[in-house]
């Protein structure tokens, strides 16, 4: 016969039943409970439902056992979540060499040793692995590096190679590995850079909502790290401080350009100093070109974006004219920078001039008699002339490394020029180079750049065919226009700017994505009679 124990086990104490002191005791054995003596003795309380208590005890013990199992399995070893052979040393080297030869002056946010560290070290560092994989995906998608042979790893097929598919495979790898660790809660400079490259990948893949999400993720992580605080830069390693400052300003420029293209809002403001010439000798770069790019976008803050997105209306002709002058002064004429950086700077400059002009016409501030050419209806012709004067001296590769972002800017300039040609009376001198020649040069340029022929050229040709039916392009262009007009617009569209024409073109999702400022189309229709009357005086 068992005797009562001096102290009841935890389960018997909880159930308010007599414990025999065994290990396990009889009550726990019968109820299939763990018999423990861990609870500190407490004063007795009122009796409750014994069946309910048994259920509570079983559930608590089940949760404890489950937690122990999860602790044994988590975190998952990095080697178990990565695709073997997807990221190869040869691929990393090809992407790194191309980046530092052609793109580093425009995006001076990486150090070679960070990218070229042995793959073995990446096996234990998920953040570094995701950075390198995202970087390679970005390089394959945007500048279109054709990684072949051993460098392609497991993303290449035996006989053919798909650039987009290989970049997408690396991108998926990054997103999958990122789910296995707390990269947001433990944010770092590497994390911000990785999110930026993910944005660049989705931008190149034309998934613009997702691209905007990851750009916002990058800017939010930058704010978490205090990149907006000048004082924070003095508390970190000097070399890290240099790269972090550049990263902040690259995000600053990218967000403003994308906000203009997609009519979004801003998060980053100019709260820290620009990068200086005091650089690390291991990665020498003339930072002045990068700073010129920042200066181009500095004036396009919340005021302009608010006006652009039509949530503000407090601008004036004088303010817009002053903004055009700032753009003209932001890039020196005798610019001595790498060719790829010149391509980015000059194209962005002319594109921003176009954006400001579009805002001017949408507010009714243009006049044919204005002494300031930037406030006249023909200013886009001058912009196209200046743009082609630069691109005519650049190699195709220097423009293609910037991906579809640069081509979209060329497209915007060409569309604006087309609108002007449809509304403004032009000189009919046969032997002088004029807007018609500029438009054909832009068409030819867009058609020769990688990604331009398939994405932007069809839209531009349809617009020209619809807006300028009297234009007599080359036979090949004329034929292409006719075919595209039949395919894209199964209707007769009036000249530029009418609602029917816009609605017809807008049946394609691409038109809605690529027309950066519909305001010019609306405004040009309203001003058409006034413009012709203005020039007839």
């Amino acid at each position: 016969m068992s005797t009562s124990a001096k102290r009841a086990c935890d389960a018997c104490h909880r159930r308010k039943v007599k414990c025999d002191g065994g290990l396990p005791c009889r009550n726990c054995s019968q109820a299939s409970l763990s018999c423990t003596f861990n609870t500190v003795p407490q004063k007795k309380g009122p009796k409750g439902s014994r069946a309910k208590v048994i259920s509570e005890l079983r559930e608590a013990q089940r949760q404890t056992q489950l937690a122990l199992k999860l602790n044994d399995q988590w975190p998952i070893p990095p080697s178990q979540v990565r695709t073997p052979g997807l990221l190869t040393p040869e691929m990393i080297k090809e992407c790194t060499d191309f980046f530092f030869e052609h793109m580093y002056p425009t995006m001076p946010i990486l150090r070679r040793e960070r990218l070229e560290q042995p793959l073995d070290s990446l096996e234990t560092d998920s953040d570094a692995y995701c950075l390198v994989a995202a970087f390679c995906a970005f390089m394959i998608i945007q500048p279109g590096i054709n990684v072949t042979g051993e460098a392609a790893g497991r993303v290449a097929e035996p006989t053919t190679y798909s650039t987009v598919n290989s970049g997408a495979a690396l991108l998926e790898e990054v997103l999958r590995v990122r789910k296995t660790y707390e990269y947001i809660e433990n944010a770092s400079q590497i994390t911000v850079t990785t999110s930026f490259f993910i944005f660049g990948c989705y931008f190149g893949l034309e998934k613009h909502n997702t691209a905007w999400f990851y750009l916002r993720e990058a800017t939010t992580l930058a704010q978490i790290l205090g990149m907006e605080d000048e004082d924070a830069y003095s508390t970190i390693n000097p070399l890290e401080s240099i790269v972090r400052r550049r990263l902040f300003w690259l995000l600053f420029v990218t967000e403003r350009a994308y906000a203009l293209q997609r009519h979004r809002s801003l998060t980053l403001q100019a709260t820290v100093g620009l990068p200086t010439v005091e650089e690390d000798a291991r990665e020498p770069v003339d930072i002045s070109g990068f700073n010129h790019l920042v200066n181009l976008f500095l004036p396009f803050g919340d005021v302009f974006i608010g006006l652009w997105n039509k949530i503000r209306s407090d601008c004036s002709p004088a303010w817009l004219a002053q903004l055009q002058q700032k753009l003209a002064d932001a890039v020196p004429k005798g610019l001595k920078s790498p060719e790829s950086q010149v391509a980015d700077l000059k194209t962005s400059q002319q594109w921003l001039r176009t954006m400001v002009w579009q805002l001017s016409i949408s507010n009714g501030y243009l006049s044919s008699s204005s002494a300031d050419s930037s406030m006249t209806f023909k200013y886009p012709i001058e912009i196209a002339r200046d743009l082609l004067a630069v691109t005519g001296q650049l190699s195709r590769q220097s423009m293609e490394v910037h991906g579809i972002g640069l081509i979209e800017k060329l497209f915007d300039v060409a569309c604006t020029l087309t609108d002007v040609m449809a509304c403004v009376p032009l000189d009919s001198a046969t032997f002088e180079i004029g807007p018609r020649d500029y438009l054909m040069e832009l068409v030819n340029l867009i058609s020769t750049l990688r990604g331009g022929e398939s994405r932007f050229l069809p839209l531009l040709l349809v617009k020209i065919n619809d807006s300028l039916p009297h234009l007599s392009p080359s036979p090949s262009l004329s034929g292409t226009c006719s075919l595209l007009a039949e395919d894209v617009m199964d209707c007769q569209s009036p000249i530029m700017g009418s609602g029917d024409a816009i609605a017809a073109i807008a049946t394609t999702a691409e038109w809605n994505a690529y027309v950066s400022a519909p305001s010019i189309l609306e405004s040009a229709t309203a001003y058409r009679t006034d413009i012709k009357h203005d020039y007839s005086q």
Side-chain angles (χ1 to χ4, degrees), residues 167-384:
L170 285 167
L171 179 59
E172 291 175 3
E173 174 84 349
V174 174
L175 300 177
R176 187 168 57 83
V177 173
R178 263 188 152 193
K179 293 178 181 179
T180 66
Y181 68 100
E182 291 285 347
Y183 73 91
I184 296 176
E185 198 63 34
N186 302 303
S188 67
Q189 192 166 304
I190 293 177
T191 312
V192 180
T193 308
T194 302
S195 295
F196 172 76
F197 283 130
I198 295 174
F199 151 75
C201 290
Y202 279 117
F203 179 80
L205 295 172
E206 297 184 82
K207 296 184 177 181
H208 294 293
N209 288 336
T210 309
W212 179 249
F213 174 87
Y214 281 102
L215 179 58
R216 273 297 170 88
E217 180 180 82
T219 59
T220 302
L221 290 170
Q223 291 174 322
I224 290 174
L225 292 179
M227 289 189 180
E228 291 181 302
D229 182 8
E230 179 64 44
D231 293 336
Y233 289 85
S234 61
T235 63
I236 58 177
N237 178 280
L239 295 182
E240 182 182 356
S241 175
I242 290 172
V243 178
R244 180 173 293 195
R245 189 181 298 274
R246 296 174 183 175
L247 178 58
F248 170 83
W249 284 112
L250 180 61
L251 292 173
F252 176 92
V253 168
T254 305
E255 183 185 47
R256 296 195 171 204
Y258 207 63
L260 285 169
Q261 290 173 324
R262 308 295 162 202
H263 291 272
R264 306 292 188 181
S265 57
L266 302 177
T267 59
L268 298 182
Q269 303 299 328
T271 55
V272 301
L274 291 176
T276 64
V277 295
E278 298 177 0
E279 304 296 340
D280 178 16
R282 288 176 294 179
E283 299 292 352
V285 63
D286 182 3
I287 204 65
S288 61
F290 181 76
N291 287 346
H292 290 322
L293 184 65
V294 173
N295 287 328
L296 272 177
F297 284 88
L298 272 176
F300 294 85
D302 288 330
V303 173
F304 188 92
I305 295 299
L307 294 167
W308 185 251
N309 293 337
K310 297 184 178 180
I311 59 177
R312 299 182 60 145
S313 58
D314 52 335
C315 69
S316 66
W319 182 78
L320 291 167
Q322 185 181 28
L323 186 52
Q324 289 284 13
Q325 188 60 48
K326 287 182 179 179
L327 289 174
D329 297 337
V331 181
K333 294 182 179 180
L335 183 64
K336 295 182 180 179
S337 295
E339 189 181 32
S340 61
Q341 190 170 50
V342 172
D344 186 34
L345 273 170
K346 292 292 188 178
T347 303
S348 296
Q349 182 185 37
Q350 304 310 321
W351 175 69
L352 290 172
R353 291 170 69 189
T354 302
M355 299 298 100
V356 177
W357 182 87
Q358 289 186 5
L359 188 60
S360 299
I361 193 174
S362 68
N363 282 276
Y365 293 146
L366 301 184
S367 170
S368 60
S369 59
S370 175
D372 187 342
S373 63
S374 69
M375 302 303 291
T376 66
F377 297 107
K378 291 186 177 182
Y379 191 56
I381 300 173
E382 183 179 328
I383 293 173

Side-chain angles (χ1 to χ4, degrees), residues 506-523:
T507 55
T508 65
E510 288 179 312
W511 182 259
N512 288 328
Y514 292 139
V515 173
S516 64
S519 59
I520 184 177
L521 303 177
E522 301 165 1
S523 303

Side-chain angles (χ1 to χ4, degrees), residues 421-441:
M421 292 173 63
C423 288
V424 178
L426 302 173
D427 297 332
S428 58
T430 307
F431 300 105
E432 291 186 7
I433 297 177
R436 179 169 145 182
D437 304 283
Y438 302 148
L439 181 58
M440 292 302 100
E441 281 296 317

Side-chain angles (χ1 to χ4, degrees), residues 434-456:
R436 179 169 145 182
D437 304 283
Y438 302 148
L439 181 58
M440 292 302 100
E441 281 296 317
L442 287 169
V443 169
N444 181 64
L445 178 59
I446 292 172
S447 69
T448 59
L449 294 176
R450 183 184 59 83
E453 182 177 4
S454 60
R455 299 179 183 182
F456 294 93

